[in-house]
Amino acid sequence: MLAYVYLTMGDYKNAAKLSQEVIDSKQYTLMNKTEIINSGFASVSIPGWMWAIDLTTNNSPALPTFWGHMDLFTYSYAYAGGEKLIDTELYNSIPASGCSQEMV
């Protein structure tokens, strides 16, 4: 997670360092082409996942899931008006030209 934060900050050196530490630990494997193509990232049995949950109708009702919060068609929070929106002040602070070269 910290590597991801470094990426969003544009601190690519520390992001790469932490990512390499995870790779070198061999605790998690990088997905190979077959795992990516065959799983569609939908299988929790792939050893490369750092965290995952196998959502089923028995262990996860729609409300407390990602889909319950984000998907209009689950007839959950988003459907009932609880959609996730960007703050107006944050939106207005984004330049019309998009991200700066430092962010790319």
Side-chain angles (χ1 to χ4, degrees):
M1 293 301 289
L2 183 55
Y4 186 75
V5 170
Y6 281 138
L7 277 175
T8 60
M9 294 170 53
D11 186 349
Y12 305 117
K13 181 179 177 183
N14 278 320
K17 178 181 177 260
L18 290 177
S19 298
Q20 193 61 54
E21 287 176 12
V22 171
I23 292 167
D24 292 345
S25 77
K26 306 240 188 279
Q27 188 174 359
Y28 308 99
T29 60
L30 295 176
M31 287 184 194
N32 63 41
K33 186 177 180 179
T34 302
E35 288 172 323
I36 293 169
I37 292 171
N38 291 342
S39 77
F41 296 102
S43 172
V44 297
S45 65
I46 296 171
W49 288 116
M50 295 176 93
W51 53 83
I53 182 170
D54 189 13
L55 294 174
T56 67
T57 55
N58 290 331
N59 72 8
S60 182
L63 289 175
T65 66
F66 171 84
W67 301 114
H69 284 273
M70 304 303 284
D71 181 23
L72 292 172
F73 301 107
T74 59
Y75 304 107
S76 193
Y77 294 110
Y79 174 78
E83 52 288 302
K84 308 301 182 226
L85 305 170
I86 188 171
D87 177 74
T88 302
E89 192 172 324
L90 174 61
Y91 180 81
N92 291 337
S93 72
I94 301 170
S97 61
C99 63
S100 65
Q101 278 297 344
E102 292 88 35
M103 295 175 77
V104 177

